[in-house]
C-alpha cells in the first residue's frame, strides 16, 4: 500500500514512479530531485524532512492516516500518475516534430 523512499534521488527515480503507477502511496524525503516539484510532483505532505526533530511522529501519523484513508490518498496521487503515464508523449513529440516537420 505504501512505497517509502528516503534516498538521495540523484534524478527522476524509477522505483517511486513505478510504485505510484501500481497504486502505492509514495512517501519520499526531501533529498535531491524529490525536493523538486517538477521531478517528483507529489503533494508536500508526502515529502518528509528526515532531519526534522518530529520526523518519527510525523511519519507515524502519516502512515496511520494512509492506512485509514487509502482511497483519499490514492485520489491525491492521480495527477502524479497521469504525468507519469503521459511522459512518453512529452518526449516523443519534439523528436517527431524535428525529424518529420514539413
Amino acid at each position: 500500500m505504501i512505497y517509502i523512499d528516503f534516498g538521495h534521488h540523484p534524478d527522476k527515480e524509477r522505483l517511486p514512479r513505478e510504485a505510484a503507477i501500481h497504486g502505492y502511496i509514495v512517501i519520499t524525503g526531501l533529498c535531491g530531485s524529490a525536493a523538486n516539484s517538477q521531478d517528483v510532483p507529489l503533494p508536500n505532505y508526502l515529502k518528509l524532512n528526515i532531519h526534522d526533530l518530529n520526523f518519527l511522529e510525523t511519519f507515524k501519523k502519516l502512515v496511520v492516516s494512509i492506512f485509514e484513508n487509502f482511497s483519499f490518498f490514492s485520489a491525491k496521487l492521480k495527477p502524479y500518475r497521469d504525468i507519469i503515464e503521459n511522459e512518453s508523449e512529452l518526449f516523443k513529440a519534439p523528436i517527431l516534430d524535428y525529424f518529420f516537420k514539413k
Side-chain angles (χ1 to χ4, degrees), residues 7-48:
H8 295 287
H9 292 266
D11 57 15
K12 281 186 177 184
E13 296 292 322
R14 189 183 98 230
L15 290 176
R17 296 156 53 79
E18 284 186 22
I21 289 295
H22 289 286
Y24 291 80
I25 307 304
V26 177
I27 301 172
T28 69
L30 291 169
C31 294
S33 65
N36 180 335
S37 62
Q38 295 287 347
D39 288 340
V40 184
L42 292 171
N44 288 338
Y45 53 82
L46 293 175
K47 296 181 176 190
L48 304 180

Side-chain angles (χ1 to χ4, degrees), residues 1-3 16 18-26 70 74 77 81:
M1 292 178 74
I2 300 174
Y3 174 82
E18 284 186 22
I21 289 295
H22 289 286
Y24 291 80
I25 307 304
V26 177
F70 186 80
S74 185
L77 259 64
R81 291 183 185 113

